[in-house]
Amino acid sequence: MANCPVCKQPVDEAAAKAQTGMTPGGAKEVDPKMGTRQFHDGTWYYFDSLECRNKFTRNPDGYLSGAA
Amino acid sequence: MDFAYSAEQEALRREVRQFIKENVTPELADEANPESDVERPRGQGPMAAALYKKIYDRGWLGITYPKEYGGQGGDRLTQYIVEEEFTRAGINITLGGSGAPAIMAAGTEEQKQYYIPRLIKREVSFCLGFTEPHAGADLANLRCSAVRDGDDYVINGQKMYTSAAHMSTHIYLMARTDRNAPKHEGISIFLFPMDTPGITVRPLWTIQNNPTAPVGTTYGNSRTNETFFDDVRIHKSCLLGEENKGWRVGSMGLNLDRVGASRYLISVRRDEDIVNWVKNNRFDGYSPAENPAIRDKIAEMWIEAQVCRLMTMRSMSIVERGGKFTYEGSAEKVWAPEHGVRVTEAITQMLGPYTTLLRTSAHAIEDGVFAHNVMGSFQSGINHGSVQVMRDQVARRGLELPSSRRPKKVEAK
């Protein structure tokens, strides 16, 4: 279980990546309600919502250092 | 200088119209419309698939592509005429996106032989993997990485607004292959199937979702996506063009994709719908077409649409003559979406509050298409390169201004 770097809510990484369907082209689909993630400096960070991720995108260093 | 169509071109237009009259029903247009059902792939319902087969058999798909790759070796104006007629009927026959023109310009012979015929037959479709959460208008800031490992590349990262990722067979991806290079260098383009292990698609719903937009809506996409890549391993033959030279390939593809009818076509149906509605409706014996204020707005809108059309014709003419196409597509990409915003605002003023009702309302006008167009017009200013980015390209490529940068802050004394 990860914590959202922005709001500190727990995010289930496995659930966020768990396959819930497949596109006609064969790609894995996931449940958008289970959170999202961002690839930052070689590491995946998990968020409970797009809103939190948007905040993180604007100031990643601030959230990772705890200064934001 | 002759702006008229030739007798052959007029005959082709009549032939296409007749074909549409005989083959395209409202039910079929609804099935072929990718926004009418978010779960159904583009044009893959049984009726739509049969229609596209018939259109292909007529030689009306991929008209401008060489015959050796399954096209017709035809000219852009012929393609424009065919696309314009099908757009009026709510049927999209474009190859969709910058994949095909980029492959023609930068692909290997093997890539051309594989992809172009399949794109024309609609057996292959690309989604565009360019934008990232922190790399949109500043696309060269992208961080999705492709690391060489023997004969493969391993891709990790994510893309935003991969609009057709849930319907496409392949992705046209821009990724960073050299982290130490200047940001416009060290970027490469890759083409690979969406069923490659490690690809995940997560839906993002737009303002056109619930209810989905009706057929004929300009930019009615109800769904876009974010797409994740976890150790996605692809063969080196998936590289399009040279490694680390992808910025030029991607820019060229986007620019070439803007040549042709698409910028004008997004206006055609919307503009004609309102003209026809004004002509064909009467209220207590009074036609809106007789109202001086409405006539004024309609005439203004038509003039703007003709500017849009002429810009499109100019772009096609430049490319047909083998001329240098630099800023013209960007100029179209500013004019057409902003024309759309002005038109949809004018329609709302002309027809009043009922134009704001979506298709789920019993009182919606024309299945809510005018209301959905208001939302779509704003989307079209952002999609596929925002109007702000396009203006910057006009300034740099057309007017030869230097690249923009912020002025230095002046400390107050």
Side-chain angles (χ1 to χ4, degrees):
Chain A
M1 192 74 78
N3 285 323
C4 171
V6 176
C7 71
K8 312 301 181 194
Q9 289 291 315
V11 185
D12 186 338
E13 297 153 284
K17 292 169 71 172
Q19 181 165 0
T20 55
M22 186 183 284
T23 70
K28 184 173 89 173
E29 288 215 81
V30 294
D31 182 352
K33 297 188 190 75
M34 303 314 289
T36 185
R37 50 184 166 137
Q38 180 157 333
F39 194 62
H40 177 74
D41 279 351
T43 302
W44 286 105
Y45 294 92
Y46 288 79
F47 303 86
D48 64 327
S49 68
L50 265 185
E51 188 183 2
C52 282
R53 201 189 66 195
N54 288 342
K55 288 179 182 173
F56 178 84
T57 301
R58 289 194 289 271
N59 184 16
D61 293 339
Y63 284 106
L64 293 178
S65 67
Chain B
M1 188 180 294
D2 185 358
F3 280 63
Y5 295 111
S6 68
E8 291 80 15
Q9 288 162 344
E10 292 291 6
L12 172 65
R13 189 182 291 279
R14 286 194 296 276
E15 185 186 347
V16 176
R17 283 186 181 174
Q18 186 61 30
F19 174 91
I20 290 169
K21 193 174 171 186
E22 290 170 1
N23 291 281
V24 180
T25 61
E27 294 76 22
L28 198 156
D30 189 55
E31 185 185 284
N33 177 16
E35 319 317 334
S36 62
D37 181 344
V38 295
E39 300 302 328
R40 190 174 50 226
R42 185 189 300 267
Q44 287 187 10
M47 289 189 294
L51 177 75
Y52 283 117
K53 173 74 169 56
K54 282 186 184 177
I55 298 171
Y56 173 79
D57 290 343
R58 291 284 187 119
W60 291 338
L61 296 179
I63 288 172
T64 58
Y65 288 85
K67 288 186 176 177
E68 61 264 38
Y69 302 125
Q72 300 296 316
D75 63 90
R76 288 177 184 275
L77 192 54
T78 301
Q79 177 175 292
Y80 165 82
I81 290 166
V82 176
E83 286 183 351
E84 184 179 43
E85 293 305 319
F86 277 103
T87 300
R88 282 201 179 95
I91 303 293
N92 176 9
I93 63 160
T94 63
L95 297 198
S98 49
I103 291 168
M104 284 305 299
T108 61
E109 184 58 30
E110 188 181 10
Q111 286 170 330
K112 290 178 195 172
Q113 293 282 358
Y114 180 82
Y115 282 113
I116 302 298
R118 287 169 175 80
L119 282 161
I120 291 172
K121 287 184 179 176
R122 305 177 81 85
E123 293 168 358
V124 162
S125 56
F126 283 111
C127 59
L128 186 67
F130 278 21
T131 303
E132 296 180 11
H134 37 242
D138 184 14
L139 181 59
N141 199 30
L142 65 87
R143 297 173 193 178
C144 181
S145 68
V147 177
R148 187 70 184 262
D149 181 22
D151 282 345
D152 297 337
Y153 287 92
V154 179
I155 297 170
N156 279 287
Q158 70 190 108
K159 293 291 172 181
M160 282 289 283
Y161 306 118
T162 42
S163 295
H166 61 294
M167 304 186 286
S168 301
T169 62
H170 288 67
I171 186 162
Y172 172 73
L173 182 89
M174 186 178 270
R176 187 160 295 287
T177 36
D178 184 350
R179 288 175 68 114
N180 299 316
K183 72 176 187 178
H184 288 85
E185 303 297 325
I187 288 173
S188 303
I189 303 268
F190 299 94
L191 311 168
F192 53 94
M194 287 295 286
D195 62 359
T196 308
I199 301 178
T200 302
V201 176
R202 179 180 182 271
L204 296 171
W205 305 106
T206 77
I207 52 174
Q208 296 284 21
N209 183 47
N210 194 22
T212 56
V215 174
T217 301
T218 308
Y219 279 108
N221 300 44
S222 61
R223 175 179 171 174
T224 180
N225 305 282
E226 48 185 346
T227 303
F228 303 98
F229 304 88
D230 294 288
D231 292 325
V232 174
R233 184 172 286 274
I234 57 171
H235 190 258
K236 63 181 181 184
S237 61
C238 297
L239 179 69
L240 178 67
E242 289 180 61
E243 186 182 82
N244 296 329
K245 304 293 182 192
W247 182 257
R248 269 161 262 176
V249 175
S251 302
M252 177 176 56
L254 286 171
N255 212 23
L256 288 171
D257 182 36
R258 292 186 183 118
V259 182
S262 60
R263 295 300 149 212
Y264 173 56
L265 288 179
I266 64 171
S267 311
V268 169
R269 175 139 179 175
R270 179 193 56 219
D271 294 0
E272 291 185 0
D273 276 355
I274 183 60
V275 172
N276 289 331
W277 191 89
V278 166
K279 278 182 180 174
N280 297 331
N281 283 279
R282 298 184 77 82
F283 300 93
D284 295 330
Y286 182 73
S287 165
E290 295 165 346
N291 183 310
I294 288 179
R295 293 162 67 91
D296 186 82
K297 284 282 184 195
I298 291 276
E300 186 179 314
M301 189 188 80
W302 182 84
I303 292 165
E304 282 199 12
Q306 295 315 301
V307 173
C308 196
R309 175 175 171 271
L310 290 172
M311 290 174 91
T312 297
M313 294 293 177
R314 179 172 177 240
S315 295
M316 290 195 293
S317 172
I318 291 170
V319 175
E320 281 294 320
R321 287 181 280 115
K324 196 175 174 190
F325 185 75
T326 52
Y327 70 93
E328 293 83 358
S330 303
E332 286 176 51
K333 180 66 181 62
V334 172
W335 182 259
E338 294 190 348
H339 162 64
V341 172
R342 291 189 291 270
V343 166
T344 52
E345 183 190 5
I347 290 171
T348 305
Q349 289 172 352
M350 284 190 283
L351 306 189
Y354 284 98
T355 50
T356 63
L357 299 176
L358 298 172
R359 66 188 306 197
T360 40
S361 168
H363 303 291
I365 301 173
E366 301 289 334
D367 200 23
V369 71
F370 297 128
H372 286 274
N373 272 341
V374 171
M375 297 188 286
S377 69
F378 286 99
Q379 282 178 285
S380 72
I382 301 167
N383 293 356
H384 210 61
S386 71
V387 292
Q388 290 80 11
V389 172
M390 294 300 108
R391 281 194 170 88
D392 184 66
Q393 291 182 355
V394 171
R396 280 190 293 115
R397 296 175 185 168
L399 305 177
E400 298 181 347
L401 299 186
S403 296
S404 63
R405 62 191 178 101
R406 290 191 177 90
K408 287 180 182 172
K409 283 185 181 174
V410 178
E411 296 294 332
K413 291 182 180 174

